[in-house]
Amino acid sequence: MTLYKQLVAWMTAVFLILMISVFAIEFRNTQTFLENQQRSEVNNTINTVGLALAPYLEDEDKVAAESVINALFDGSYYSAVRLTLFTTNEEVVRVYPVRIDTVPEWFTQLHLFRTISENRIITSGWLQLAEVEIVTHPGYAYQQLWNALIQLAITFFVVICLGTVTIAFVVKRALSPLQQIIIKMKEVANNNFENNLPKPKTKDLEAVIDGINSMSAQIAQSFQSQAKEAEKLRDKVYLDPISGLGNRTFFMGQLTNWLAESSKGGVALFKVNFINKVYEQDGYEAGDALVRELSDLLKATLPASNVILTRINSSEFGFIFPNIEEDELKLAAENIVVYTQDIKGDPTATAPIDAELGVVFNETRKTTTEILSLADNALTLAHSNPQMPFGFIADESEHELMGKQQWKAFVDEAINEHLFQFTLQLATTPNGTVFHQEVFSAIEKDEQRYSANQYLFALEQLNETTYFDQFVIRTMIERVSSGEITQPVAINLSNRSVDNPSFVRWLTTTLKKHKSIAPLFHFEIQESAFIENEDHTALLCNVIRSSGAEFGVDNFGRNFESLEYIKLFRPNYVKLDYLFTHQLDDEKQRYILASISRTAQNLGITTIASRVENKEQLDLLAEHNVDVFQGFFINEKVEGI
């Protein structure tokens, strides 16, 4: 029970006791008054009877005496009258049955009033003529007391109601600063330090409010400092300060990640020789300005948001084009050359730009050494053939050419023919508790398996990923509802779905229909959506949270933006980018991992590392503030238990 309810209950109880005491005293006083009044009326009545009967008794007129008695007592609240004549020893008795219909019978059976009888000898001088006796009936007293009781009860009820409301209002107002403190402490427990408490009118609580505000501000400042420290460490290791792009270390990390995930797409090395000349001839300021100009133009004009653009050294840029088709890769390479010619001020795009671009299109698994060797060969090819806009090397393996529309039709067929296969990869804590299972999809047809990386990129380019996300969600809902899946499942949402209002409405309706199982669904949203499309992402996150489901950030820390966005969105978990969870033998890498993870943990957000391959990696990650682990090693470990 809350303090407010306790205070109201106890104060109401004390007030009720006081009111009951007043009620009992008033009731008892009314009863005593009516009883005394009844006794007084009996005395007055018997005196009146004696005076009225005396003349008739002297004349021994019995008939007249009876007439007087009838006249005085008919219709009165007396139960009996007896007149005894001394001269003849005759008695005149009158009995009057009295019934009070306006008083409940149970009330009269409480015997609150005694029957009063009074007798008196009627005399004439020294001569005793007769004796008269009157017996009262308490019906009138009961009627008066019952009416008084009703009035007291109504007054009592009104006063109790008004008193209770007044007590509740006064206590609530007095405790309003305390209620604000409770709300604030809940916010602090949820790592929300934004709003300060107003000054209370209660002087005793001023010090408490000031202390809480000060504590909240210090914690918020601590989080901001931690986030800025993590950003500085990340930028120092992975960011080129001149161009604002990733540096060589970042390029190698993303290249390793891309080759491990899909390997399909393109890699390009762009050696811009005229930048070195500007550095030599015009100085560092002019050279840096040219680098920034070229970097901004390339970032603004590259074909897709998932293209990774880096500056490898002073005059060389590296590009990674995940899941791009060969013809689109060639078009992107041509655009890079044209944009660079714009920087040189050649509107005809015909003058040589003193730069070489080597491009590799790849579809098979390769190591970083192999892919970089091909890129160097393509760069050499561009250098030896200056008449060519760029050097191009395609994957030597034979590959089936399938356009975007063909992939779309293939996915439609797979949905209709139930060709999709779903696998669940566990994410667990160090002690083996399952946090969730991430859903991975693939198409199996004619004994051939097509991974998600092969068709999702085509769907994204056609803006058709939303219906695929809906298909996956519906499938998982069916399996959870049937009991086939009993643990939380994580479903990746595409950026197209995040900013699609119709998808948000559909998800709202779907989760409402399945509210009982909604807590078993985790939705993973790319970090780029939180940074580039804040409003739509916030709407989707509110829908997910209000339904009872959870959401997390995928590739956390990949974008060179402020990490403080997680303070605004408060995801349930973040999945660290692979850039921070590999090469842990490097002390700088471990320090950055610990700092990035601590930034999330300071807000009570669970941190997840993916692609955990062995126990040594798991132990190192656990030592550096990682809470949950996911990868083939985790699946093998669980299956072996």
Side-chain angles (χ1 to χ4, degrees):
M1 184 180 293
T2 63
L3 178 61
Y4 167 75
K5 290 182 179 179
Q6 290 184 37
L7 289 175
V8 170
W10 281 107
M11 293 179 71
T12 302
V14 172
F15 182 66
L16 190 62
I17 291 172
L18 292 175
M19 289 301 300
I20 290 174
S21 301
V22 172
F23 181 89
I25 293 171
E26 187 65 25
F27 181 81
R28 180 60 181 167
N29 289 340
T30 302
Q31 178 189 2
T32 303
F33 170 77
L34 291 173
E35 187 172 357
N36 292 335
Q37 184 183 41
Q38 190 178 22
R39 191 178 299 278
S40 175
E41 289 180 354
V42 168
N43 289 330
N44 293 335
T45 301
I46 203 166
N47 289 332
T48 301
V49 170
L51 293 174
L53 290 177
Y56 301 106
L57 293 177
E58 288 177 358
D59 297 336
E60 296 183 359
D61 189 348
K62 180 181 176 184
V63 175
E66 290 180 359
S67 297
V68 170
I69 291 174
N70 292 336
L72 288 175
F73 293 99
D74 282 352
S76 65
Y77 286 96
Y78 292 94
S79 60
V81 177
R82 182 169 58 85
L83 177 64
T84 304
L85 301 175
F86 289 157
T87 57
T88 61
N89 289 327
E90 293 182 76
E91 289 186 350
V92 177
V93 179
R94 296 287 186 270
V95 178
Y96 304 99
V98 180
R99 181 174 181 83
I100 307 299
D101 295 329
T102 57
V103 179
E105 185 177 355
W106 62 266
F107 188 69
T108 60
Q109 293 177 353
L110 296 177
H111 305 294
L112 299 174
F113 296 101
R114 295 171 295 175
T115 300
I116 299 174
S117 63
E118 189 74 30
N119 53 32
R120 182 72 53 85
I121 296 176
I122 302 172
T123 61
S124 178
W126 297 102
L127 180 64
Q128 294 182 345
L129 302 175
E131 181 182 16
V132 62
E133 181 180 5
I134 302 174
V135 179
T136 64
H137 190 285
Y140 177 74
Y142 276 112
Q143 187 179 50
Q144 295 297 316
L145 186 60
W146 174 252
N147 292 336
L149 178 64
I150 292 176
Q151 292 177 358
L152 283 173
I154 293 174
T155 304
F156 177 81
F157 178 77
V158 172
V159 172
I160 284 293
C161 291
L162 291 176
T164 303
V165 171
T166 303
I167 289 172
F169 174 76
V170 171
V171 172
K172 186 174 184 178
R173 186 170 182 178
L175 293 181
S176 58
L178 182 59
Q179 185 63 29
Q180 293 176 349
I181 292 174
I182 293 172
I183 295 173
K184 181 62 179 178
M185 295 312 296
K186 288 181 179 179
E187 292 177 350
V188 171
N190 292 325
N191 302 293
N192 184 0
F193 317 109
E194 296 296 330
N195 302 319
N196 283 336
L197 292 172
K199 286 285 186 181
K201 294 181 179 179
T202 306
K203 296 296 183 182
D204 297 344
L205 294 177
E206 280 189 2
V208 178
I209 297 294
D210 291 340
I212 291 175
N213 287 338
S214 176
M215 177 193 68
S216 178
Q218 291 177 9
I219 296 176
Q221 181 62 38
S222 175
F223 167 78
Q224 292 176 353
S225 300
Q226 176 61 41
K228 291 183 183 302
E229 179 187 353
E231 292 166 17
K232 288 180 180 178
L233 287 171
R234 178 194 61 185
D235 295 349
K236 184 177 181 180
V237 176
Y238 297 114
L239 184 68
D240 175 62
I242 306 301
S243 63
L245 305 175
N247 58 18
R248 184 180 185 86
T249 304
F250 181 76
F251 176 75
M252 294 301 296
Q254 295 301 321
L255 184 64
T256 303
N257 188 34
W258 168 64
L259 291 173
E261 287 183 349
S262 68
S263 298
K264 179 180 178 180
V267 176
L269 296 179
F270 190 32
K271 190 173 183 181
V272 188
N273 298 315
F274 65 81
I275 290 180
N276 285 333
K277 294 180 180 179
V278 173
Y279 273 117
E280 294 173 0
Q281 297 173 4
D282 301 330
Y284 284 101
E285 290 186 5
D288 290 347
L290 185 61
V291 169
R292 283 191 289 269
E293 184 181 1
L294 179 59
S295 301
D296 292 341
L297 186 59
L298 291 174
K299 284 191 291 186
T301 53
L302 282 173
S305 60
N306 62 341
V307 173
I308 299 169
L309 170 59
T310 61
R311 186 188 181 203
I312 299 176
N313 55 44
S314 62
S315 61
E316 191 170 352
F317 294 82
F319 302 82
I320 302 175
F321 300 87
N323 302 310
I324 197 171
E325 300 295 337
E326 185 173 346
D327 56 343
E328 293 171 342
L329 179 61
K330 290 180 178 179
L331 179 60
E334 292 175 358
N335 289 336
I336 291 173
V337 174
V338 172
Y339 303 149
T340 308
Q341 285 174 326
D342 291 341
I343 293 290
K344 292 292 290 180
D346 177 27
T348 63
T350 58
I353 59 172
D354 194 16
E356 296 130 13
L357 177 62
V359 182
V360 176
F361 177 72
N362 183 68
E363 282 192 315
T364 59
R365 296 285 180 181
K366 287 184 176 64
T367 64
T368 55
T369 302
E370 291 172 340
I371 201 74
L372 289 176
S373 296
L374 290 175
D376 286 335
N377 291 339
L379 198 61
T380 302
L381 182 63
H383 179 74
S384 59
N385 297 278
Q387 72 281 1
M388 298 173 55
F390 54 86
F392 187 84
I393 296 177
D395 197 330
E396 297 178 357
S397 63
E398 295 182 0
H399 56 275
E400 180 183 359
L401 295 176
M402 188 179 289
K404 294 187 288 292
Q405 294 294 344
Q406 291 174 298
W407 278 117
K408 169 68 168 55
F410 186 54
V411 171
D412 290 340
E413 178 190 357
I415 293 176
N416 295 329
E417 300 296 331
H418 306 289
L419 301 179
F420 271 98
Q421 298 294 324
F422 293 97
T423 56
L424 302 176
Q425 189 177 77
L426 290 172
T428 68
T429 60
N431 60 11
T433 303
V434 175
F435 182 76
H436 67 210
Q437 310 165 90
E438 185 174 356
V439 179
F440 291 93
S441 66
I443 300 174
E444 292 188 0
K445 183 181 180 182
D446 300 331
E447 298 182 356
Q448 187 171 355
R449 185 179 180 86
Y450 302 87
S451 65
N453 291 323
Q454 293 177 268
Y455 50 81
L456 285 181
F457 182 71
L459 295 180
E460 184 174 339
Q461 289 186 313
L462 293 172
N463 198 17
E464 296 287 350
T465 51
T466 295
Y467 92 100
F468 179 76
D469 288 345
Q470 291 174 334
F471 163 70
V472 175
I473 293 171
R474 282 195 301 267
T475 303
M476 291 301 108
I477 287 177
E478 291 173 0
R479 297 192 178 184
V480 171
S481 299
S482 66
E484 180 181 347
I485 298 176
T486 58
Q487 295 172 325
V489 292
I491 301 174
N492 287 277
L493 299 180
S494 66
N495 286 350
R496 299 284 188 181
S497 296
V498 172
D499 59 15
N500 188 335
S502 63
F503 173 80
V504 176
R505 287 193 296 270
W506 175 86
L507 186 63
T508 303
T509 303
T510 302
L511 292 178
K512 282 184 179 179
K513 289 181 180 178
H514 302 88
K515 196 168 184 63
S516 61
I517 61 174
L520 291 178
F521 287 89
H522 295 179
F523 296 96
E524 294 189 1
I525 304 170
Q526 295 290 324
E527 184 183 58
S528 57
F530 292 92
I531 296 171
E532 299 171 4
N533 201 355
E534 181 177 322
D535 293 337
H536 286 91
T537 306
L539 178 61
L540 176 64
C541 292
N542 287 335
V543 167
I544 294 172
R545 181 177 281 120
S546 62
S547 70
E550 298 182 358
F551 69 92
V553 181
D554 200 9
N555 299 320
F556 177 64
R558 170 177 292 186
N559 297 271
F560 291 104
E561 302 288 343
S562 173
L563 297 176
E564 289 193 35
Y565 73 88
I566 61 170
K567 183 180 177 183
L568 173 65
F569 286 92
R570 301 302 173 97
N572 300 95
Y573 64 92
V574 294
K575 191 164 287 186
L576 300 169
D577 190 79
Y578 182 66
L579 179 70
F580 307 111
T581 58
H582 78 301
Q583 296 181 350
L584 294 179
D585 52 338
D586 186 347
E587 185 176 353
K588 287 191 300 183
Q589 182 78 353
R590 295 198 298 271
Y591 194 69
I592 294 172
L593 169 65
S595 184
I596 292 286
S597 300
R598 195 181 304 116
T599 300
Q601 286 186 333
N602 285 344
L603 291 175
I605 299 171
T606 302
T607 56
I608 303 177
S610 58
R611 294 171 57 188
V612 179
E613 299 172 355
N614 51 60
K615 189 177 186 303
E616 291 74 20
Q617 184 185 5
L618 187 150
D619 292 339
L620 272 174
L621 291 169
E623 291 175 6
H624 293 83
N625 303 322
V626 177
D627 303 312
V628 177
F629 310 92
Q630 179 180 341
F632 293 110
F633 170 72
I634 303 299
N635 272 35
E636 292 174 359
K637 178 183 175 183
V638 173
E639 290 172 0
I641 291 178

